[in-house]
């Protein structure tokens, strides 16, 4: 079973040199800590920044410089600021190569639910609906099951949707999966996790072809 | 034509109950602090606020919520505010949640004289209910209307007497977009300078969009998520 | 009969303090020379400048600084540069208070033709179609008749249109006219020009109500 | 990921006959002089040019016209070019004239992921022929499609190794819009600097839109209408 850090680490292996990447709040943010050696990626923050740097050193926080999670951050040499319309413009235009975000539920046809639990608090979708509707290449980072132990990989989402037919790949604490026309194709198992356990915890159609390798880091 | 006002209360002299008001900022970053304080002090009632977020309990738009001045909130994310949650669940306040990019682009559309925009954001979700869906090049898009407001209240870093504005870092966010979408746009700036002091190549909002400007005071610039690293 | 300079001068009297104004090529450009004392107007050039200044002093021309007529110009304190999309954005959004442009023909319902003579050269519409379709307040500056002595104020334009139902007022070498639902309403005569001469040279419906005053400068 | 090329010929290495090419600039102001020279030298044939103007007889896009490299010209104003007129009237070249604001906004729409825009420009004229007209709030608008191009060739004042660009004065014009609309965008700059040398608040084109960049040489920057006043 992967820790949140390991989920981020596995996703980071999918980064390619020159990628522009948008990382959502939560586990996705951690991906920035595991960018492979020799790979240069530029992080986009949808509030209006390209080239997001690390958190500031204590005492050097700048209230005018935050990311989409409202965290204080820094810039790097070559960073650019822009307004939110241009920011979502470049997202809609498909200029962002990879989008990593969290989810409450994902369905076997690539639908995602992440912004609302009816009857409980509605926090709002923020930029998630724009991101999932526009990105060509979306990886969802999440736990395989919710706190009650119920699968988050479903035949059909039960919560209000954020977007339809958009998720391409999923990395959970148990597995790396790809969505194809038939369902969740199991690409890799987390170290020490069996195919049976993944099958057990996947409510949607799980596609297993041949030997499923264990992830390596 | 004088656009310069002494302070927020004077610049907001003609604001009325039931006004539709846009407020720039993302989270607490780049919000028009002086204008918000004036709205509280002037005790304007039943306003519709259009803003990406709703502030926190005791700052930003949260100050207006606490005094129950807000009839309706149009935003994309409101997860930082418990009073907001209470008023929403109790039905005291109407809420319209729209995707962040849609919000930004609908403001820009207004400033660019475009009646509608098409965006894929929200297709297939409850955001699409009642809206026109249209397919272009094999992809579905929602038609969303341009937004304007009776008043757009924005915060810039520097501005000149003609209303030209420059924003700082990510405090830019929605400010230049809302500045273009106000029937009356009021800008508060940290530093008000004479025309000619801003480099004409680097002005973000041309003064043609700005009706009133004043130099704000006592900026608190509260940080929502103070995150730091080891040296 | 007015000279081109006098046409510009008469139009300049319509300027109000604080106006943002777009002046087309030709006679309209001359309006800038007659801005009344105490009136502050800002000139917009649709290639991307607000706050156009006078021509440069010889030797100080800057190839990067031109107006929509491709003439070398200067800036003023408070000028702003922007791209052409924002420039036409502010035009479409109705932020420009007054647009002055030339025309080949104007019809009594406010149509304008100015960009093409079929069979002869087609120069293109440039920004004229955007300007006339968007501006709330358009004054046309032109000669009352063409080189053959034919009226340019017509019942119906004969040339391809630049825009429909858009012209509000016209200043010619003979008269100042306003377009209302019935035709060209004669507001003022040029000094020494009779109502009869204007009537003679106006093919479209001319509306004359009471005594028509002579222009004063 | 290296975006930096040595010169125009190298940056344009994969340009092909029949390419659709956008060229920034307004008149001769802010045109990609080095890229145009390379197109002439590489002798690319049957190209479609999208540019506000067509240059003059012996400079700018006029150089491509003279060598009959242009199959089709999409522009808003072409009145400065006699060779253009000749090829147009003789039927050697196709021409599509579109309003200047429509041209600008269609490029921007591409960079902003908007499939179409609505504009009132051209309603009731021959520009509207065959196009959808739609009424919003009592006003008619034409639906116009976003534009993109195989290559967008733009000229900036300064640029860095990541492709971030800053334009100077009115040489900005169409350049940032076309920079957003190229499947491959190639920027030539007067001064190429290291990342970090441009102020991140004042960059006009973020590098995400730019695929290749090089420092141009021998800028002629010809002036079309030299107008001056007395001292």
């Amino acid at each position: 079973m992967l820790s949140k850090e390991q989920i981020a680490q596995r996703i980071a292996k999918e980064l390619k040199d020159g990628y522009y990447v948008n990382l959502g709040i939560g586990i996705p943010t951690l991906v920035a800590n595991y960018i492979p050696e020799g790979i240069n990626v530029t992080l986009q923050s949808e509030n209006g920044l390209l080239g997001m740097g690390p958190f500031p050193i204590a005492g050097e926080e700048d209230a005018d410089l935050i990311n989409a999670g409202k965290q204080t951050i820094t810039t790097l040499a070559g960073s650019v600021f822009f307004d939110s319309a241009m920011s979502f413009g470049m997202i809609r235009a498909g200029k962002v190569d990879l989008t990593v975000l969290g989810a409450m539920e994902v369905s076997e046809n690539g639908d995602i639910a992440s912004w609302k639990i009816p009857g409980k608090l509605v926090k709002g979708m923020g930029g998630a609906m724009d991101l999932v509707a526009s990105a060509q290449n979306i990886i969802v980072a999440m736990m395989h099951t919710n706190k009650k132990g119920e699968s988050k990989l479903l035949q059909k989402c039960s919560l209000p949707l954020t977007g339809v037919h958009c998720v391409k790949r999923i990395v959970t604490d148990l597995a790396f999966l790809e969505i194809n026309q038939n369902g969740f194709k199991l690409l890799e198992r987390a170290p020490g996790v069996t195919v049976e356990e993944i099958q057990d915890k996947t409510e949607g159609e799980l596609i297993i072809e041949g030997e499923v390798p264990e992830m390596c880091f | 034509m004088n656009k310069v006002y002494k302070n927020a209360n004077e610049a907001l002299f003609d604001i009325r109950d039931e006004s539709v008001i846009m407020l720039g900022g993302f989270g607490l970053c780049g919000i028009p602090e002086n204008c918000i304080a004036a709205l509280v002090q002037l005790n304007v009632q039943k306003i519709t606020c259009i803003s990406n977020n709703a502030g926190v309990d005791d700052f930003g738009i949260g100050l207006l919520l606490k005094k129950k001045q807000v009839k309706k909130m149009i935003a994309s994310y409101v997860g930082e505010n418990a009073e907001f949650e209470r008023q929403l669940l109790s039905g005291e306040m109407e809420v319209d949640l729209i995707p962040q990019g849609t919000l930004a682009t609908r403001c820009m559309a207004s400033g660019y004289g475009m009646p509608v925009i098409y965006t894929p954001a929200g297709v297939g979700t409850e955001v699409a209910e009642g809206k026109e869906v249209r397919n272009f090049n094999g992809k579905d898009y929602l038609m969303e209307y341009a937004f304007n407001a009776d008043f757009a209240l924005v915060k810039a870093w520097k501005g000149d007497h003609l209303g030209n504005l420059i924003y700082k870092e990510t405090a830019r966010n929605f400010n230049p977009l809302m500045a273009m979408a106000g029937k009356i746009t009021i800008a508060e700036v940290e530093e008000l300078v004479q025309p000619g002091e801003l480099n004409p190549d680097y002005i973000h909002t041309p003064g043609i969009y700005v009706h009133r400007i004043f130099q704000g005071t006592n900026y608190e610039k509260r940080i929502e998520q103070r995150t730091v690293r080891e040296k």
Side-chain angles (χ1 to χ4, degrees), chain A residues 102-116:
Chain A
M104 295 169 179
E105 298 176 349
V106 175
S107 76
E108 62 190 37
N109 67 347
D111 294 354
I112 175 173
S114 64
W115 70 286
K116 185 178 183 179

Side-chain angles (χ1 to χ4, degrees), chain B residues 64-79:
Chain B
L64 300 170
L65 295 170
K66 199 150 70 176
K67 283 194 67 193
K68 298 184 185 168
Q69 295 176 255
V70 181
K71 183 181 75 178
K72 183 173 178 180
M73 185 79 219
I74 300 174
S76 89
Y77 190 82
V78 293

Side-chain angles (χ1 to χ4, degrees), chain B residues 2-211:
Chain B
N2 176 41
K3 294 184 178 184
V4 178
Y5 286 72
K6 222 172 99 186
N7 54 41
N9 282 31
E10 295 199 0
L12 291 170
F13 71 93
D14 55 352
I15 208 145
R16 301 164 304 275
D17 289 355
E18 315 214 27
S19 292
V20 177
I21 305 175
M22 282 180 179
L23 298 107
F26 175 84
L28 301 179
C29 180
I31 58 174
E33 294 185 17
N34 283 250
C35 285
I36 293 170
L39 288 173
V40 171
Q41 217 192 314
L42 297 166
N43 199 22
V44 195
Q45 294 294 318
K46 295 183 190 167
I47 57 182
T48 296
C49 285
I50 303 174
S51 178
N52 190 60
N53 307 92
V56 295
D57 280 344
D58 62 346
F59 203 60
I61 294 176
L63 299 170
L64 300 170
L65 295 170
K66 199 150 70 176
K67 283 194 67 193
K68 298 184 185 168
Q69 295 176 255
V70 181
K71 183 181 75 178
K72 183 173 178 180
M73 185 79 219
I74 300 174
S76 89
Y77 190 82
V78 293
E80 296 96 352
N81 194 309
E83 174 64 16
F84 184 94
E85 183 183 359
R86 200 194 57 71
Q87 290 187 28
L88 170 58
L89 295 174
S90 72
E92 284 167 62
M93 183 176 47
E94 292 172 63
V95 175
D96 196 357
L97 289 170
I98 62 184
Q100 190 175 338
T102 302
L103 175 58
T105 314
R106 288 175 70 184
C107 294
M108 190 184 83
S110 177
Y112 273 50
M114 302 193 288
V116 296
I117 53 136
Y118 284 96
T119 174
V123 168
T125 76
E126 62 181 60
V127 164
E129 281 167 26
K131 289 178 187 160
E132 173 178 319
V133 178
R134 188 159 172 175
N135 191 287
F136 295 103
N137 308 314
K139 191 176 168 87
D140 283 338
Y141 293 82
L142 294 185
M143 189 177 81
E144 298 273 8
Y145 285 90
F147 245 159
N148 60 29
D150 298 321
F151 294 88
L153 310 179
V154 303
K155 154 74 170 42
W157 180 37
K158 293 184 181 181
D160 72 18
H161 287 216
L162 303 178
N164 295 312
L165 304 177
I166 291 179
Y167 308 91
K168 190 161 171 241
E169 300 168 345
T170 56
R172 193 180 322 178
N173 56 63
F174 286 83
N175 282 300
L177 309 167
M178 292 180 169
M180 296 193 291
K183 287 175 206 158
I184 295 175
T185 292
I186 302 172
E188 59 174 274
V189 297
E190 291 181 52
E191 197 183 335
L192 183 62
V193 302
Q194 291 294 326
E197 291 189 44
L198 303 179
N199 184 325
D201 277 327
Y202 302 144
I203 289 166
H204 298 122
T205 297
I208 196 169
Y209 288 112
V210 177
H211 304 87

Side-chain angles (χ1 to χ4, degrees), chain A residues 34-215:
Chain A
Y34 299 101
I35 299 170
E37 197 77 22
I39 297 283
N40 240 304
V41 304
T42 304
L43 301 179
Q44 201 251 19
S45 190
E46 67 267 26
N47 53 321
L49 169 62
L50 204 56
M52 181 162 53
F55 295 146
I57 290 164
E60 295 183 4
E61 308 91 306
D62 176 351
D64 290 325
L65 182 46
I66 64 171
N67 65 15
K70 280 108 185 174
Q71 298 171 314
T72 46
I73 48 158
T74 56
T75 55
L76 300 169
S79 293
V80 198
F81 297 109
F82 33 81
D83 65 47
S84 300
M86 179 177 256
S87 183
F88 284 94
M90 64 184 65
I91 287 167
R92 268 197 308 271
K95 301 293 173 182
V96 173
D97 299 293
L98 176 64
T99 295
V100 184
L101 78 171
M104 295 169 179
E105 298 176 349
V106 175
S107 76
E108 62 190 37
N109 67 347
D111 294 354
I112 175 173
S114 64
W115 70 286
K116 185 178 183 179
I117 305 176
K120 298 195 182 181
L121 180 63
V122 182
K123 290 188 184 291
M125 65 291 283
M129 282 192 182
D130 305 273
L131 281 160
V132 301
S134 304
Q136 301 302 305
N137 188 6
I138 298 177
I139 300 181
V140 163
M142 65 176 189
M143 295 293 124
H144 211 94
T145 56
N146 66 19
K147 281 168 191 166
K148 295 184 202 154
E150 300 161 337
S151 180
K152 296 171 73 172
L153 288 79
L154 306 173
Q155 285 191 283
K156 202 169 177 305
C157 293
S158 67
L159 295 171
L161 296 180
T162 307
V164 292
H165 308 303
C166 53
V167 176
K168 298 286 179 286
R169 291 176 287 175
I170 307 164
V171 179
T172 74
D173 49 337
L174 303 184
F176 181 21
L177 310 103
E178 183 183 70
I179 289 179
N180 66 23
Q181 58 260 54
N182 300 310
F184 300 106
K185 182 176 172 188
L186 184 57
L187 299 178
E188 298 175 8
R189 297 171 292 116
V193 174
T194 63
V195 170
E196 290 66 35
E197 183 180 352
I198 297 165
Q199 180 63 275
D200 255 17
K201 293 183 172 165
T202 304
E203 193 253 17
E205 186 68 27
L206 187 71
I207 299 161
I208 302 154
E209 283 176 7
E211 196 66 32
V212 179
E214 204 172 84
M215 283 175 203

